[in-house]
């Protein structure tokens, strides 16, 4: 079964726009769990423009499913991870001012650096996933980092899906097969929605988890959060 981890960054964006605590980030996470999500994802950035470091601490104490903390392994990020010890850390090569993630790691150039970070995080009990483009060379080199999983960056799949689903999925399918052969677990995320998720699930062998935030929160505005979480879970069956 492919697990659904709900990224609640956009809930924090809405809260921060008003400066109070509405919507409540922790309560939203608890509701997502109650509605069937198997995990909660957050991506705290250095400027705390959406999820704040304190949110991550509060979520760690409150939720009962898996906490997935994404981010660039800066000293501040690593200190937070050491403090909260989430079940999973997803390493993402974001620039500090990035609006959203735009590319995966170059696991050839940065292999030694990533290996050190992965070793550090696994030593405190975290499963480690590395954000990757569906590039066979990068998938192969990810093995040398010691990571448990890779997360395929699916923006290109989502962009191409409406006009040619088979062509859109092809590089991701090849990357997924290769990951299985190499013993790497497989996650996926970015721009996945109710239109393209089922096809991705059906065609990626070994897909363990998807992380979905922006589209899910947008859909919830019209469909309601409980109904939306259930609809996304239905696409993964």
């Amino acid at each position: 079964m492919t697990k659904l981890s709900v990224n609640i960054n956009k809930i924090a964006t809405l809260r921060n726009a008003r400066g109070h605590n509405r919507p409540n980030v922790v309560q939203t996470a608890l509701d997502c769990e109650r509605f069937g999500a198997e995990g909660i994802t957050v991506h705290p950035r250095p400027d705390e423009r959406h999820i704040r470091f304190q949110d991550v601490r509060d979520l760690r104490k409150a939720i009962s499913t898996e906490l997935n903390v994404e981010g660039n392994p800066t000293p501040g990020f690593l200190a937070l991870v050491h403090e909260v010890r989430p079940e999973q850390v997803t390493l993402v090569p974001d620039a500090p001012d990035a609006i959203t993630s735009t590319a995966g790691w170059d696991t050839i150039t940065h292999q030694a650096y990533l290996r050190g970070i992965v070793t550090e995080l696994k030593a405190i009990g975290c499963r480690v996933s590395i954000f990757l483009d569906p590039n066979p060379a990068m998938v192969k080199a990810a093995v040398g980092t010691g990571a448990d999983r890779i997360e395929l960056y699916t923006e290109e799949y989502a962009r191409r899906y409406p006009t040619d689903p088979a062509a859109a999925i092809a590089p991701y399918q090849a990357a997924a097969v290769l990951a299985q052969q190499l013993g790497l677990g497989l996650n996926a995320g970015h721009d996945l929605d109710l239109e393209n998720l089922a096809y991705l699930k059906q065609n990626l062998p070994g897909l363990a988890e998807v992380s979905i935030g922006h589209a899910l929160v947008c859909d919830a505005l019209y469909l309601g959060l409980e109904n939306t979480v259930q609809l996304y879970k239905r696409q993964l069956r």
Side-chain angles (χ1 to χ4, degrees):
M1 182 184 73
T2 302
K3 293 182 178 181
L4 171 65
S5 185
V6 177
N7 185 318
I8 58 171
N9 278 13
K10 287 300 185 294
I11 300 298
T13 300
L14 181 59
R15 175 202 60 189
N16 294 352
R18 193 63 181 261
H20 300 293
N21 196 32
R22 187 175 185 181
N24 184 298
V25 167
V26 172
Q27 186 58 54
T28 301
L30 293 173
D31 289 337
C32 287
E33 289 184 321
R34 183 162 56 89
F35 300 150
E38 291 94 359
I40 300 296
T41 292
V42 289
H43 189 144
R45 288 184 164 87
D47 60 6
E48 297 188 300
R49 65 178 178 270
H50 36 64
I51 287 292
R52 300 167 182 157
F53 280 30
Q54 187 58 45
D55 292 328
V56 183
R57 299 183 183 102
D58 295 341
L59 288 163
R60 171 72 289 173
K61 297 173 184 175
I63 69 172
S64 57
T65 59
E66 178 180 290
L67 178 62
N68 173 42
V69 181
E70 301 179 336
N72 196 321
T74 60
F77 178 87
L78 290 174
L80 178 66
V81 167
H82 274 267
E83 180 182 346
V84 302
R85 302 196 178 197
E87 283 79 13
Q88 180 170 265
V89 179
T90 301
L91 303 179
V92 183
D94 275 347
D97 59 348
I99 294 175
T100 187
S101 306
T102 57
W105 285 97
D106 181 338
T107 50
I108 297 173
T109 301
H110 301 293
Q111 186 172 105
Y113 168 72
L114 289 169
R115 187 186 307 120
I117 300 296
V118 169
T119 299
E120 175 183 342
L121 296 180
K122 289 176 73 169
I124 62 170
C126 301
R127 180 172 72 244
V128 184
S129 179
I130 293 180
F131 198 59
L132 283 188
D133 297 306
N135 181 322
M138 298 306 161
V139 176
K140 290 177 182 176
V143 175
T145 69
D148 303 288
R149 295 184 183 180
I150 58 171
E151 178 177 330
L152 291 178
Y153 170 45
T154 50
E155 189 275 337
E156 181 70 8
Y157 162 75
R159 187 183 66 80
R160 299 180 66 189
Y161 175 82
T163 56
D164 193 341
I169 198 66
Y172 293 87
Q173 193 170 45
V177 170
L178 180 59
Q180 278 199 319
Q181 293 171 347
L182 296 171
L184 290 167
L186 184 68
N187 298 340
H190 205 89
D191 287 349
L192 298 175
D193 59 26
L194 289 174
E195 297 298 321
N196 60 40
L197 181 58
Y199 190 80
L200 182 92
K201 158 65 178 175
Q202 292 161 9
N203 289 281
L204 289 194
L207 182 60
E209 177 183 296
V210 292
S211 170
I212 304 177
H214 185 80
L216 189 150
V217 172
C218 290
D219 288 334
L221 292 175
Y222 292 92
L223 305 173
L225 184 59
E226 180 174 7
N227 187 37
T228 299
V229 171
Q230 289 294 313
L231 287 170
Y232 274 85
K233 283 175 60 66
R234 190 178 302 167
Q235 306 309 305
L236 296 171
R237 292 186 186 131

